[in-house]
Structure formats: C-alpha cells, structure tokens
Amino acid sequence: MTWITRPIHLPKNNITTADAQVFHTLLATACHFDPMVKEGLAQLMDNIKAENYLIYEDGHPVGTGTLIPHGKIGGLFNV
C-alpha cells in the first residue's frame, strides 16, 4: 500500500509542511515541555527521517503532525 501525502486546504484550516521553530514551540507548549526537553526533542527530530506538519486555523498554528516513513510502513505522531 502506498500513501501519498500533500497539503490540504479547508475553508478555515490549512495543513502545511512545518516551520521547525514554530513546530517545536507549539509541541512544547501543548505537551508542557520544559526548555531542556524541547531542545532535546528538536535535536532528536533533526536526526531522523520525518515529515512534520502544522495545522492552522484562521491563520494561527493549532496542531502538529509527524509522519515517520519506514519502507512500506510508517507512523503518525503528535496529531
């Protein structure tokens, strides 16, 4: 099975490839990470093959999503 992803546009929502700084700030805020955990996760994610996305509502980032592909399978995280 192949799953091709691409940004989608909804009336008031938008899903786009993530700006790394905004992605990590939103994730750290939602998960109550302290600065050390936020930085550690950012470094970890910089070293893995992953696609990070931001979900916007009315122009403001409100959610994150990560796709980690591995051959013919993958995982979705932070949704």
Side-chain angles (χ1 to χ4, degrees), residues 9-32:
H9 302 280
L10 302 172
K12 292 185 178 181
N13 301 305
N14 190 21
I15 300 173
T16 63
T17 302
D19 170 277
Q21 183 176 2
V22 175
F23 177 87
H24 292 296
T25 298
L26 184 59
L27 187 59
T29 301
C31 296
H32 304 282

Side-chain angles (χ1 to χ4, degrees), residues 46-62:
D46 284 345
N47 292 310
I48 61 173
K49 182 181 177 183
E51 298 175 18
N52 296 314
Y53 296 92
L54 287 170
I55 299 118
Y56 288 87
E57 183 173 349
D58 296 325
H60 302 283
V62 295

